mmCIF file of all heavy atoms in Angstrom:
data_model
loop_
_atom_site.group_PDB
_atom_site.id
_atom_site.type_symbol
_atom_site.label_atom_id
_atom_site.label_comp_id
_atom_site.label_asym_id
_atom_site.label_seq_id
_atom_site.Cartn_x
_atom_site.Cartn_y
_atom_site.Cartn_z
ATOM 1 N N ALA A 27 236.773 125.297 97.235
ATOM 2 C CA ALA A 27 236.388 126.046 96.071
ATOM 3 C C ALA A 27 235.917 127.586 96.427
ATOM 4 O O ALA A 27 236.378 128.511 95.821
ATOM 5 C CB ALA A 27 235.136 125.437 95.359
ATOM 6 N N VAL A 40 230.306 135.531 95.894
ATOM 7 C CA VAL A 40 230.425 134.315 96.670
ATOM 8 C C VAL A 40 230.103 134.603 98.049
ATOM 9 O O VAL A 40 229.548 133.848 98.810
ATOM 10 C CB VAL A 40 231.923 133.891 96.561
ATOM 11 C CG1 VAL A 40 232.209 132.719 97.499
ATOM 12 C CG2 VAL A 40 232.144 133.328 95.135
ATOM 13 N N LEU A 72 194.716 122.896 94.336
ATOM 14 C CA LEU A 72 193.307 123.256 94.169
ATOM 15 C C LEU A 72 192.742 123.289 95.538
ATOM 16 O O LEU A 72 192.720 122.194 96.204
ATOM 17 C CB LEU A 72 192.733 122.236 93.258
ATOM 18 C CG LEU A 72 191.176 122.449 92.905
ATOM 19 C CD1 LEU A 72 191.104 123.640 91.918
ATOM 20 C CD2 LEU A 72 190.511 121.226 92.324
ATOM 21 N N TRP A 94 190.582 111.451 92.111
ATOM 22 C CA TRP A 94 190.631 112.645 91.115
ATOM 23 C C TRP A 94 192.171 113.054 90.932
ATOM 24 O O TRP A 94 192.521 113.271 89.697
ATOM 25 C CB TRP A 94 189.857 113.845 91.631
ATOM 26 C CG TRP A 94 189.762 114.969 90.679
ATOM 27 C CD1 TRP A 94 188.886 115.078 89.603
ATOM 28 C CD2 TRP A 94 190.782 116.117 90.564
ATOM 29 N NE1 TRP A 94 189.160 116.313 88.814
ATOM 30 C CE2 TRP A 94 190.225 116.867 89.448
ATOM 31 C CE3 TRP A 94 191.799 116.423 91.354
ATOM 32 C CZ2 TRP A 94 190.900 118.077 89.091
ATOM 33 C CZ3 TRP A 94 192.325 117.750 90.953
ATOM 34 C CH2 TRP A 94 191.947 118.486 89.839
ATOM 35 N N ILE A 106 189.440 121.725 102.790
ATOM 36 C CA ILE A 106 189.115 122.437 104.009
ATOM 37 C C ILE A 106 187.684 122.355 104.466
ATOM 38 O O ILE A 106 186.893 122.741 103.585
ATOM 39 C CB ILE A 106 189.579 123.966 104.019
ATOM 40 C CG1 ILE A 106 191.102 124.029 103.747
ATOM 41 C CG2 ILE A 106 189.284 124.725 105.292
ATOM 42 C CD1 ILE A 106 191.622 125.409 103.464
ATOM 43 N N ALA A 137 174.938 131.824 97.708
ATOM 44 C CA ALA A 137 175.670 131.637 96.416
ATOM 45 C C ALA A 137 174.988 132.505 95.456
ATOM 46 O O ALA A 137 175.641 133.279 94.620
ATOM 47 C CB ALA A 137 175.505 130.229 95.903
ATOM 48 N N GLY A 145 180.728 137.799 92.055
ATOM 49 C CA GLY A 145 181.724 137.155 92.673
ATOM 50 C C GLY A 145 181.917 135.779 92.314
ATOM 51 O O GLY A 145 182.940 135.134 92.641
ATOM 52 N N ALA A 224 148.328 120.714 116.023
ATOM 53 C CA ALA A 224 148.540 119.996 114.865
ATOM 54 C C ALA A 224 149.889 120.168 114.294
ATOM 55 O O ALA A 224 150.533 119.095 113.899
ATOM 56 C CB ALA A 224 147.471 120.417 113.750
ATOM 57 N N ALA A 265 146.761 133.994 101.777
ATOM 58 C CA ALA A 265 147.807 133.292 102.542
ATOM 59 C C ALA A 265 148.151 133.980 103.869
ATOM 60 O O ALA A 265 148.139 133.366 104.940
ATOM 61 C CB ALA A 265 148.988 133.223 101.753
ATOM 62 N N GLN A 368 178.095 110.331 93.809
ATOM 63 C CA GLN A 368 176.890 110.802 94.467
ATOM 64 C C GLN A 368 176.148 109.618 95.118
ATOM 65 O O GLN A 368 175.585 109.762 96.274
ATOM 66 C CB GLN A 368 175.939 111.494 93.498
ATOM 67 C CG GLN A 368 176.424 112.960 93.323
ATOM 68 C CD GLN A 368 175.228 113.900 93.071
ATOM 69 O OE1 GLN A 368 174.329 113.906 93.836
ATOM 70 N NE2 GLN A 368 175.332 114.652 91.938
ATOM 71 N N ASP A 420 159.620 113.636 92.249
ATOM 72 C CA ASP A 420 158.848 113.893 90.941
ATOM 73 C C ASP A 420 158.054 115.148 91.011
ATOM 74 O O ASP A 420 157.950 115.803 89.914
ATOM 75 C CB ASP A 420 158.044 112.662 90.868
ATOM 76 C CG ASP A 420 158.690 111.402 90.436
ATOM 77 O OD1 ASP A 420 159.824 111.474 90.119
ATOM 78 O OD2 ASP A 420 158.005 110.361 90.663
ATOM 79 N N GLN A 444 154.061 138.359 111.718
ATOM 80 C CA GLN A 444 154.098 138.378 113.140
ATOM 81 C C GLN A 444 153.198 139.416 113.790
ATOM 82 O O GLN A 444 152.428 139.125 114.600
ATOM 83 C CB GLN A 444 155.508 138.574 113.754
ATOM 84 C CG GLN A 444 156.424 137.434 113.647
ATOM 85 C CD GLN A 444 157.771 137.807 114.295
ATOM 86 O OE1 GLN A 444 158.103 138.897 114.473
ATOM 87 N NE2 GLN A 444 158.475 136.759 114.703
ATOM 88 N N GLY A 449 147.931 140.602 116.407
ATOM 89 C CA GLY A 449 146.769 141.532 116.506
ATOM 90 C C GLY A 449 147.305 142.865 116.494
ATOM 91 O O GLY A 449 146.427 143.847 116.855
ATOM 92 N N GLY A 452 146.075 144.536 110.905
ATOM 93 C CA GLY A 452 145.340 143.559 110.109
ATOM 94 C C GLY A 452 146.242 142.887 109.138
ATOM 95 O O GLY A 452 147.309 143.381 108.695
ATOM 96 N N ALA A 460 154.584 145.202 104.128
ATOM 97 C CA ALA A 460 155.754 144.363 103.603
ATOM 98 C C ALA A 460 156.004 144.808 102.278
ATOM 99 O O ALA A 460 157.332 144.810 101.872
ATOM 100 C CB ALA A 460 155.284 142.848 103.751
ATOM 101 N N TYR A 467 163.645 148.747 99.540
ATOM 102 C CA TYR A 467 164.954 148.078 99.416
ATOM 103 C C TYR A 467 165.355 147.732 97.913
ATOM 104 O O TYR A 467 166.385 147.956 97.510
ATOM 105 C CB TYR A 467 164.778 146.681 100.248
ATOM 106 C CG TYR A 467 165.990 145.835 100.033
ATOM 107 C CD1 TYR A 467 167.187 145.997 100.593
ATOM 108 C CD2 TYR A 467 165.832 144.728 99.260
ATOM 109 C CE1 TYR A 467 168.346 145.102 100.428
ATOM 110 C CE2 TYR A 467 166.907 143.823 98.983
ATOM 111 C CZ TYR A 467 168.074 144.141 99.667
ATOM 112 O OH TYR A 467 169.093 143.204 99.399
#
Side-chain angles (χ1 to χ4, degrees):
V40 170
L72 182 75
W94 187 84
I106 299 174
Q368 279 216 51
D420 290 339
Q444 280 182 343
Y467 167 79

